[in-house]
Amino acid sequence: MSVDFWKAPTPLRTDADYMRAALALARRGLGRTAENPAVGALIVRDGVVVGQGWTQDGGRPHAERVALDAAGELSRGATMYVTLEPCSHHGKTPPCADGIVAAGISRVVSAMEDPDPRVAGKGHDILRRAGVEVVTGVCVGEALRTTLGHVLRVRENRPLVTLKLAETFDGYAAGDGHDPRLTITSAPANARTHVLRAQHAAIMVGIGTAQADDPLMTVRAPGLEDRRPLRVVLDAKLSLSPRSRLAASAHETPVLVLSDVRADVSRANALREAGVDVAPTPLDANGRIDLKAALAILAHRGITRVFSEGGPRVGAALIAQGLADEVVLFTGPKPHGRGVQALSQEARAILVDPKRYTLVEDTKLGPDRMRRYERVP
């Protein structure tokens, strides 16, 4: 793998500078490494980057192994910057911590400890016992944001959820019964949506959105055509048509429908014949798919990052239940005057409450406005 960050000695660069570069590498793997976290690694010797890597598709090889292979003998006596504690357990590949020791790395700067109980400090201990200097906590906040899906899967048995909503200037997501579909956002905002889809391992909608829009829910952007996130439909009564675009393309890009265990068997069989995976899921008190249970099913399948485009009802429920870790709100420049609100008053009040969410980005995409919020831990 080529080295393309810094080619000349840069003695004034700090550990934080190199760690931010490693985090940029880690983000290249977002949405592609499930069930493993997206990790970045950088190897620096005498102020020169001699190796770099990020966790590859499907989670292997790990970032550390890629970086070590790139650096070769130049690893000896060098410093490795890694965005998550190197693994210490034997899985499908040997522990990265052992590989780092064998390569002769003399110093490891790690952003954060891995909460996975199979690691949880053991990787750092292996390094220290081998005489490697270990520094932890560098850019830990940025690392946590990048690795949050993995952390939530370990600690809360659910993936990270990014909720995306589009609204007119006066707050509507859809028109009334005579004109339900609205064209709200422009090409730049739509392109950003496809990039966001590509950074997640699953895209989730409710059955209302699936029926109203008959969406494909695929990544359609230049250079990202190989991204095929799992498409998930919350559909308690199995109302999704086997002739929908989702079902018709299920053999090309996987589709999972989460339904009530008591849903019609013939409907389930028709969807399965079309190539759709159907999984029984508990319902909530309102007879809808229980969101926490749905996310637990996805976590069990190795999913760490979910992009929800499920519409106002699903969006409001995710916010109310504290399950929307990021909220991306696109606002078009034109009002509509009537229809379905993108967010309920209660959900919008939560979103603008600084104790619940922080506005971290507010920018223009062509004529549209994009605001991105992060949930306060």
Side-chain angles (χ1 to χ4, degrees):
M1 181 174 295
S2 64
V3 176
D4 56 16
F5 272 99
W6 300 286
K7 298 179 184 295
T10 52
L12 297 180
R13 294 199 181 274
T14 66
D15 284 346
D17 293 327
Y18 288 119
M19 186 60 74
R20 291 190 184 100
L23 285 163
L25 289 169
R27 287 190 284 271
R28 295 189 185 188
L30 288 178
R32 308 189 71 164
T33 64
E35 59 189 43
N36 287 339
V39 176
L42 204 66
I43 299 176
V44 179
R45 178 170 170 171
D46 299 326
V48 178
V49 175
V50 296
Q52 64 182 33
W54 59 93
T55 308
Q56 298 297 291
D57 291 5
R60 291 178 181 79
H62 291 182
E64 299 95 323
R65 184 71 267 164
V66 176
L68 289 170
D69 289 345
E73 285 300 314
L74 294 175
S75 297
R76 196 159 299 280
T79 295
M80 174 179 281
Y81 295 86
V82 61
T83 60
L84 185 68
E85 177 183 9
C87 65
S88 58
H89 60 287
H90 285 269
K92 295 181 180 179
T93 56
C96 287
D98 289 347
I100 291 168
V101 171
I105 293 287
S106 63
R107 181 171 181 260
V108 170
V109 180
S110 170
M112 58 181 285
E113 184 175 294
D114 191 340
D116 188 328
R118 296 172 298 176
V119 187
K122 301 182 185 70
H124 291 153
D125 287 344
I126 289 173
L127 297 174
R128 291 189 178 102
R129 289 199 301 270
V132 178
E133 179 187 354
V134 176
V135 177
T136 62
V138 176
C139 299
V140 63
E142 296 173 52
L144 179 59
R145 285 192 290 275
T146 301
T147 320
L148 186 56
H150 169 67
V151 173
L152 290 171
R153 182 169 177 258
V154 171
R155 292 179 176 171
E156 299 184 20
N157 192 34
R158 71 170 182 89
L160 170 144
V161 176
T162 299
L163 170 64
K164 174 256 178 180
L165 293 166
E167 63 176 2
T168 61
F169 188 76
D170 51 353
Y172 292 99
D176 55 25
H178 299 289
D179 183 24
R181 295 196 65 178
L182 294 177
T183 299
I184 296 174
T185 51
S186 62
N190 295 340
R192 178 64 67 88
T193 295
H194 284 282
V195 171
L196 289 169
R197 286 179 177 178
Q199 293 176 334
H200 293 76
I203 303 170
M204 183 174 74
V205 299
I207 185 58
T209 297
Q211 289 181 316
D213 296 347
D214 193 21
L216 269 177
M217 292 164 54
T218 53
V219 178
R220 302 183 300 280
L224 299 175
E225 296 88 353
D226 62 331
R227 307 289 179 101
R228 288 182 170 82
L230 174 68
R231 299 173 294 172
V232 182
V233 182
L234 307 175
D235 182 10
K237 297 180 180 179
L238 283 182
S239 301
L240 184 70
S241 170
R243 294 181 295 278
S244 65
R245 294 206 295 171
L246 282 169
S249 59
H251 289 294
E252 302 164 11
T253 304
V255 177
L256 171 65
V257 172
L258 301 179
S259 70
D260 183 5
V261 68
R262 298 162 296 181
D264 189 284
V265 174
S266 63
R267 292 182 179 180
N269 289 338
L271 287 170
R272 290 189 175 109
E273 287 176 7
V276 174
D277 190 2
V278 179
T281 310
L283 304 184
D284 61 19
N286 297 313
R288 302 189 182 102
I289 294 295
D290 184 285
L291 290 175
K292 289 184 178 179
L295 294 176
I297 288 172
L298 296 179
H300 180 72
R301 291 174 175 239
I303 300 295
T304 59
R305 293 175 59 85
V306 173
F307 190 60
S308 176
E309 297 185 76
R313 180 180 292 171
V314 173
L318 287 169
I319 290 174
Q321 295 179 39
L323 299 174
D325 303 293
E326 294 186 4
V327 178
V328 180
L329 185 61
F330 293 104
T331 304
K334 297 180 181 179
H336 187 67
R338 64 186 189 280
V340 180
Q341 289 283 335
L343 280 174
S344 66
Q345 290 184 351
E346 294 80 5
R348 201 176 291 272
I350 293 172
L351 190 60
V352 299
D353 182 351
K355 296 180 181 178
R356 306 286 292 273
Y357 282 92
T358 301
L359 178 63
V360 295
E361 187 176 1
D362 189 346
T363 190
K364 294 282 286 185
L365 293 173
D368 305 314
R369 181 184 184 186
M370 186 193 83
R371 283 165 287 178
R372 185 169 64 86
Y373 299 83
E374 291 182 356
R375 182 177 57 84
V376 176

